[in-house]
Amino acid sequence: MGHHEEMVKGMQLVMELEQDLKVANVICMNGRRHITSSKNEVSRDLVVNVKSKKKQALLDVLPILTELRHALDMQMELETFVDKENYFQAFQLVPEYLQILENYSGLSAVQEMGRWIEAWLARTIQKLDTHLLGVCQIFNEESYLIAVDAYALMGDVSGMAEKMQSFCLQEILSRTHCVLKEMLEEEVGNNTQKNRFTYSDLCVQVPEPKLRPCLLRTLETLFSLMCSYYAIMSFSPGDKNIESKGPDLADKNDTSQNSDEILVDSGRGHSSAAVIQDGSAAEKSERASSSEISNPDASTSGTDSPFYQLRTDATKLVAQTFQRGRRNLWQLATSRLSVLLSSSAVCSTSIYQFLKNYEDLTIFILAGEAFCGFEASEFRQKLKTVCLNYIVSFHRQNIYALKMVLEKESWTIMSAEASQIISLAGLTGDGAALCSPTSRSSKLPINSFHGNSTTANSGKQRLGFASWLKIENPFSIKLENGSAESPKSNMLFNSSVNNNHGNGNNPSLDEENEDLLADFIDEDSQLPSRIPKTKIVKANSSHWKDGDISSQTGSSLSLLRMMDKYARLMQKLDIVNIELFKGISQLFGIFYHYIYETFGHQDRSQSSKALPDHQSSRLKAALSKISQDSDQWTKPQNVSYSPSSPLSMNSTFGQIDVMPTAPPSSMFTSYGLKERCAAAETVSLVARVLNRSKAHLHSVLSKNNTSSVEEFYRVLVDSVPDLTEHIHRTSARMLLHIDGYPDKIANAKWEVKELGIEHNGYVDLLLGEFKHYKTRLDHGGISKELQTVDTFIKAYYLPETEYVHWARSHPEYSKSQVVGLVNLVATMKGWKRKTRLETVEKIEAAP
């Protein structure tokens, strides 16, 4: 009990402890509840926090996705622009697309888009190059500006200019090649075989009938390319009102965006949006921005706009590049033509076709000189070489034809009707048209540029080719096949010669062209193969004069026709006219030499002693000149000739060995007196015609070649009287055989003691020779001519009062011949001056 109080205190403490424990338990329970509640709240807070970060991350990704989606939309726009050939807007859009790729270059999707844009750029550049090629082929202003604007935005105008120039050169190579492949489809076979042939191979295979079509198509193609080239070179944007709704394009070189460093940022700009909740709204906003891309052809401002300046600078740069490179294009074009003109078919074509080809090539040279601004000396020299080769072949054929005519010549005078068929308008120059414009030449620019290197530096004179752009292609096939160009109206157009070698009247273009078309000789008739037709002989010197008609033989007609054709060609092929004149000289030399060999040699078999040489110095000089110039002809080799045989490119007239062989000595006496007289008369006629042609030939040839003309006339033509005199002397010696009589007279015994009752024996022989001489004259076939000469000689002894009556009764003599006889008689017989004048006046007044 003693510890009761302590026990009570202890119990109280226990009760307090129990109470405290209960309180503590309650506190713990409450704490646990609060902790659980807090835990739950914290957990909820943590979940909310995690979702918030994810949301923020998604919000941060949304602008990127928006940009990528916009990039995909731009891909579609780029494809659409390219399909519509709207390269300007396409390349304006590219910098923004590349900026997006640069901003998100770490994304794999962006890397894939980068590969796409590279492929797109390659395809677009290829398509743009195809577009450029079309501009080079046929110039179109709108197409050209599309390309210029696109390359100006790319900042590669110089690259575009070089590329276009390369395209032009490639077009010359490819299109000329294609022309021959198409034209020679039958000759070269199928497509597989055609692809194996080079251009040179095809040129070798060009047959003569297809040469002209191939040449025309080639010239047409080259001229078309030159026109496109020149149009690009001379193009200027003009005074257009252009405004770029986009930013200033003058800063195009500030930033380079694409991997090839050729695209620039147009400054269109794109502000990176913050968090955009509505994706469709963003798409609409970007579409609106895309629609504001500037149109280069928008006409809302003047020429001060940056875009207009950019375009102008670009076209100027292209023009400068083209101007520097036009010589290369011309040289390439002429090199292709040179290869074609090296074909063997060029020299085998007819003279008519060759003249047409020469005309077209001359026109092309004039156009080329206007195009280049300098003289096309190299191609002119090539054309001259082609003409020389053709003339050598042509001359060789004419010599062969003359050879056949001379070998078949019967030396009989032909009828006047046959002589009047031939017109010598080309040889004499009276009324012969120097050039007859064709359908092509009549459409050419009047003031064609003739190639002056000093004019190439003048901007104004650079437009010399501009007038050629305004005409139709002068080499168009439809002109060739149409009625505008007929075979009777196509003579050479030569605008480099402005002289009018005629009296202003064109006598007959038909005759001129028929002479050039008749290129073969009818061996049977010995006349040019011409269809006889009735002609009215015109009263001018281009036709025959009174004394000329009665002296023609087949060979002289053929010779005159050949020389007339050469004279016409001298006017048309002026670059080789001196060679053609040499041809005239050599043709006449052959004729001269043949007549001398045939009728000028005396048969020495009847005399054992050498006969005196009666040849004049002029005749010897002429024969020496012919032998010197035509040694291969006067001494023919054992080489047969065919008109179609090949001819060396280096051949000259002096190397042709087709001199007609003179008849053997046994034939010297086979020709009668009539034939010998005909030969002498006909060579004199040819000489008279040549003398009438001297002034005309001088006018056709340049001053540097006048010495050749003078030498020809001095040595050959002026010696014809000596040749005819020599022929007549030789004929007289052959008719009167008195070679042995000087010896018989010398051997006669004159010292006799008494006068004999009979004369010497040689007297009877000599009288017999004169009797035979008279018989030969009577049977020589020239009795009519001897009646004519005898009557004229007897008129010398008429009384002075009979001459007027005698002149009226003998119309076979011309008035000039009768007047000359009267003057001679009056002088010899001492007539009074009044009597002579009255007689001459009455004779001249007679009808």
Side-chain angles (χ1 to χ4, degrees):
M1 286 301 291
H3 296 286
H4 180 270
E5 184 176 354
E6 294 179 354
M7 183 184 70
V8 173
K9 289 182 180 180
M11 289 296 292
Q12 290 179 348
L13 290 173
V14 170
M15 291 175 66
E16 290 177 0
L17 177 62
E18 182 180 7
Q19 186 66 30
D20 292 337
L21 288 173
K22 289 181 180 179
V23 173
N25 184 42
V26 172
I27 293 172
C28 289
M29 290 177 65
N30 291 334
R32 189 184 299 116
R33 187 171 59 253
H34 287 297
I35 290 173
T36 301
S37 176
S38 298
K39 178 182 177 182
N40 293 334
E41 290 180 3
V42 170
S43 298
R44 287 195 300 271
D45 293 340
L46 289 176
V47 171
V48 171
N49 186 46
V50 170
K51 290 184 178 180
S52 177
K53 289 182 178 180
K54 290 182 178 180
K55 183 178 181 181
Q56 185 63 43
L58 291 175
L59 290 175
D60 293 340
V61 171
L62 184 59
I64 300 176
L65 295 176
T66 303
E67 289 288 303
L68 294 180
R69 180 174 179 181
H70 180 57
L72 292 175
D73 293 337
M74 284 194 290
Q75 287 184 0
M76 297 179 62
E77 287 186 86
L78 290 174
E79 294 287 5
T80 302
F81 288 148
V82 172
D83 290 340
K84 294 181 179 180
E85 293 189 344
N86 196 340
Y87 302 102
F88 177 83
Q89 291 190 354
F91 287 129
Q92 272 193 322
L93 196 59
V94 168
E96 180 182 351
Y97 183 89
L98 295 178
Q99 185 64 52
I100 294 175
L101 300 187
E102 183 179 0
N103 293 337
Y104 306 102
S105 58
L107 300 178
S108 59
V110 172
Q111 295 175 359
E112 180 65 26
M113 296 173 71
R115 289 189 290 270
W116 179 89
I117 193 62
E118 290 178 0
W120 178 86
L121 282 172
R123 294 194 308 271
T124 303
I125 295 298
Q126 184 178 5
K127 189 171 182 180
L128 185 57
D129 289 346
T130 304
H131 183 89
L132 276 179
L133 181 60
V135 173
C136 295
Q137 291 172 340
I138 301 178
F139 177 76
N140 179 272
E141 179 178 343
E142 182 179 357
S143 299
Y144 178 52
L145 289 177
I146 289 174
V148 168
D149 295 339
Y151 273 95
L153 282 179
M154 289 193 294
D156 192 31
V157 178
S158 60
M160 179 194 73
E162 296 296 336
K163 188 178 294 185
M164 292 180 69
Q165 194 166 32
S166 176
F167 285 161
C168 291
L169 298 179
Q170 292 174 11
E171 277 295 289
I172 288 181
L173 297 176
S174 61
R175 292 178 65 177
T176 52
H177 196 188
C178 290
V179 165
L180 290 190
K181 286 197 295 185
E182 293 174 0
M183 298 295 293
L184 303 179
E185 185 173 2
E186 297 179 0
E187 284 73 13
V188 299
N190 56 37
N191 293 331
T192 304
Q193 292 176 327
K194 283 194 293 186
N195 293 332
R196 294 202 310 264
F197 290 111
T198 64
Y199 183 76
S200 300
D201 296 335
L202 293 175
C203 289
V204 172
Q205 301 185 47
V206 174
E208 188 275 328
K210 291 190 176 181
L211 174 64
R212 177 151 182 79
C214 289
L215 179 61
L216 280 178
R217 286 286 302 276
T218 301
L219 292 175
E220 180 184 15
T221 298
L222 293 176
F223 184 82
S224 176
L225 290 174
M226 288 166 55
C227 288
S228 296
Y229 188 98
Y230 195 88
I232 296 172
M233 183 180 70
S234 58
F235 177 78
S236 177
D239 191 10
K240 293 185 177 181
N241 294 323
I242 301 174
E243 179 185 10
S244 175
K245 294 183 179 179
D248 190 350
L249 297 180
D251 299 329
K252 61 185 179 67
N253 294 322
D254 291 346
T255 56
S256 179
Q257 302 294 342
N258 67 337
S259 58
D260 295 330
E261 296 183 359
I262 61 172
L263 295 176
V264 296
D265 187 0
S266 64
R268 175 167 171 250
H270 175 74
S271 58
S272 299
V275 178
I276 300 178
Q277 301 294 335
D278 189 356
S280 61
E283 179 179 353
K284 292 179 181 178
S285 176
E286 293 301 315
R287 289 295 180 185
S289 178
S290 176
S291 66
E292 293 178 357
I293 296 178
S294 63
N295 182 357
D297 292 327
S299 55
T300 56
S301 72
T303 59
D304 295 334
S305 67
F307 173 79
Y308 180 84
Q309 188 62 41
L310 179 65
R311 174 185 283 181
T312 302
D313 294 342
T315 54
K316 286 183 179 179
L317 180 59
V318 173
Q320 293 171 0
T321 304
F322 268 49
Q323 189 170 0
R324 290 193 302 267
R326 55 181 170 169
R327 180 188 292 264
N328 296 331
L329 183 128
W330 169 250
Q331 290 178 344
L332 182 60
T334 54
S335 67
R336 301 295 268 188
L337 279 176
S338 298
V339 176
L340 180 59
L341 293 176
S342 299
S343 171
S344 59
V346 175
C347 289
S348 62
T349 187
S350 68
I351 185 64
Y352 176 65
Q353 292 293 325
F354 184 81
L355 286 177
K356 291 171 69 178
N357 294 340
Y358 177 81
E359 173 193 5
D360 292 328
L361 290 170
T362 303
I363 293 174
F364 183 74
I365 289 177
L366 294 176
E369 289 176 341
F371 173 80
C372 295
F374 63 89
E375 184 177 3
S377 55
E378 293 182 5
F379 191 62
R380 283 187 178 274
Q381 184 60 37
K382 173 62 180 179
L383 182 58
K384 182 178 181 179
T385 303
V386 171
C387 291
L388 285 175
N389 293 334
Y390 184 85
I391 292 304
V392 168
S393 178
F394 173 76
H395 185 61
R396 186 173 189 172
Q397 294 176 14
N398 280 287
I399 291 178
Y400 181 73
L402 183 60
K403 168 184 178 294
M404 293 190 296
V405 171
L406 289 173
E407 289 177 350
K408 292 180 175 291
E409 177 65 272
S410 60
W411 300 107
T412 57
I413 300 299
M414 307 198 70
S415 64
E417 291 76 11
S419 301
Q420 292 176 6
I421 292 178
I422 304 299
S423 168
L424 300 182
L427 193 60
T428 59
D430 289 333
L434 177 63
C435 56
S436 304
T438 65
S439 59
R440 289 194 185 90
S441 59
S442 62
K443 297 175 181 293
L444 298 182
I446 297 177
N447 297 322
S448 299
F449 183 72
H450 288 280
N452 188 342
S453 58
T454 60
T455 63
N457 298 324
S458 172
K460 295 182 179 179
Q461 293 174 338
R462 182 171 62 90
L463 298 177
F465 191 74
S467 55
W468 291 81
L469 301 178
K470 302 176 182 178
I471 64 172
E472 188 176 1
N473 193 317
F475 312 105
S476 176
I477 290 292
K478 65 181 180 181
L479 283 179
E480 177 71 12
N481 296 332
S483 60
E485 180 179 90
S486 63
K488 297 253 179 125
S489 65
N490 185 16
M491 285 293 103
L492 172 67
F493 170 76
N494 190 347
S495 61
S496 62
V497 180
N498 294 322
N499 300 332
N500 184 9
H501 294 265
N503 56 16
N505 298 322
N506 189 348
S508 176
L509 287 179
D510 289 351
E511 295 175 7
E512 180 179 358
N513 287 280
E514 286 181 7
D515 287 336
L516 293 177
L517 286 170
D519 289 324
F520 62 94
I521 301 296
D522 187 338
E523 299 180 18
D524 296 329
S525 66
Q526 302 179 13
L527 281 173
S529 180
R530 302 271 298 277
I531 300 176
K533 57 184 179 182
T534 303
K535 291 188 178 182
I536 300 176
V537 180
K538 301 180 182 180
N540 58 48
S541 61
S542 65
H543 292 273
W544 306 111
K545 290 189 175 181
D546 295 339
D548 297 345
I549 300 178
S550 60
S551 305
Q552 286 299 315
T553 63
S555 59
S556 66
L557 285 177
S558 298
L559 174 65
L560 287 171
R561 177 182 171 275
M562 289 180 184
M563 293 195 297
D564 180 75
K565 185 187 297 184
Y566 278 56
R568 296 176 192 272
L569 292 176
M570 285 174 63
Q571 301 175 60
K572 295 166 176 58
L573 303 178
D574 58 319
I575 59 176
V576 290
N577 54 17
I578 183 59
E579 301 299 329
L580 288 164
F581 175 76
K582 292 178 182 178
I584 292 177
S585 174
Q586 290 160 0
L587 287 173
F588 180 71
I590 291 175
F591 186 72
Y592 188 108
H593 185 271
Y594 187 88
I595 290 180
Y596 171 79
E597 290 291 327
T598 306
F599 302 105
H601 274 296
Q602 184 173 355
D603 188 4
R604 301 174 184 268
S605 61
Q606 299 179 3
S607 176
S608 59
K609 298 180 61 177
L611 297 178
D613 186 2
H614 295 284
Q615 297 181 3
S616 66
S617 58
R618 288 200 304 182
L619 179 58
K620 292 179 180 179
L623 295 173
S624 175
K625 176 66 174 175
I626 295 174
S627 177
Q628 177 183 352
D629 294 344
S630 309
D631 183 64
Q632 294 291 332
W633 303 343
T634 56
K635 297 179 181 179
Q637 306 296 322
N638 295 325
V639 179
S640 61
Y641 167 70
S642 170
S644 60
S645 62
L647 187 65
S648 170
M649 296 297 289
N650 296 325
S651 296
T652 58
F653 291 166
Q655 294 174 313
I656 305 175
D657 52 355
V658 291
M659 177 64 188
T661 305
S665 59
S666 61
M667 294 186 63
F668 289 155
T669 57
S670 65
Y671 289 115
L673 181 60
K674 184 177 181 180
E675 288 79 11
R676 296 176 181 277
C677 292
E681 290 175 9
T682 194
V683 73
S684 298
L685 162 66
V686 175
R688 288 199 297 271
V689 174
L690 287 173
N691 279 319
R692 296 210 311 270
S693 306
K694 184 176 181 180
H696 175 60
L697 294 175
H698 265 299
S699 66
V700 174
L701 292 171
S702 62
K703 294 183 179 179
N704 297 331
N705 298 318
T706 55
S707 59
S708 300
V709 179
E710 293 298 331
E711 183 182 17
F712 167 67
Y713 278 91
R714 184 181 68 255
V715 178
L716 288 183
V717 180
D718 293 348
S719 68
V720 168
D722 299 72
L723 175 61
T724 57
E725 181 181 358
H726 178 73
I727 292 174
H728 291 314
R729 286 178 179 271
T730 303
S731 300
R733 294 190 190 98
M734 295 176 66
L735 292 175
L736 183 61
H737 302 154
I738 59 173
D739 295 338
Y741 288 94
D743 293 336
K744 290 182 176 66
I745 296 175
N747 295 330
K749 295 181 179 181
W750 296 98
E751 298 178 357
V752 293
K753 295 181 180 180
E754 57 183 18
L755 187 64
I757 59 175
E758 293 183 356
H759 50 254
N760 288 325
Y762 72 84
V763 175
D764 293 329
L765 296 176
L766 186 59
L767 290 175
E769 289 294 342
F770 279 109
K771 184 177 180 180
H772 289 303
Y773 179 73
K774 185 177 184 304
T775 302
R776 294 187 186 102
L777 288 179
D778 293 338
H779 294 83
I782 59 170
S783 56
K784 180 180 179 181
E785 288 80 358
L786 289 174
Q787 285 163 4
T788 304
V789 176
D790 183 68
T791 303
F792 192 78
I793 293 175
K794 290 180 180 178
Y796 178 83
Y797 302 99
L798 292 174
E800 61 183 33
T801 58
E802 295 294 326
Y803 280 98
V804 176
H805 173 72
W806 182 86
R808 293 175 180 175
S809 60
H810 292 84
E812 66 270 19
Y813 304 108
S814 64
K815 291 182 180 180
S816 60
Q817 292 173 336
V818 177
V819 170
L821 176 63
V822 170
N823 288 331
L824 174 64
V825 172
T827 301
M828 299 303 296
K829 295 185 178 180
W831 288 10
K832 294 182 180 180
R833 184 172 181 273
K834 180 179 179 181
T835 302
R836 181 179 66 82
L837 293 177
E838 289 178 352
T839 303
V840 170
E841 183 179 356
K842 291 178 180 179
I843 293 174
E844 291 181 341

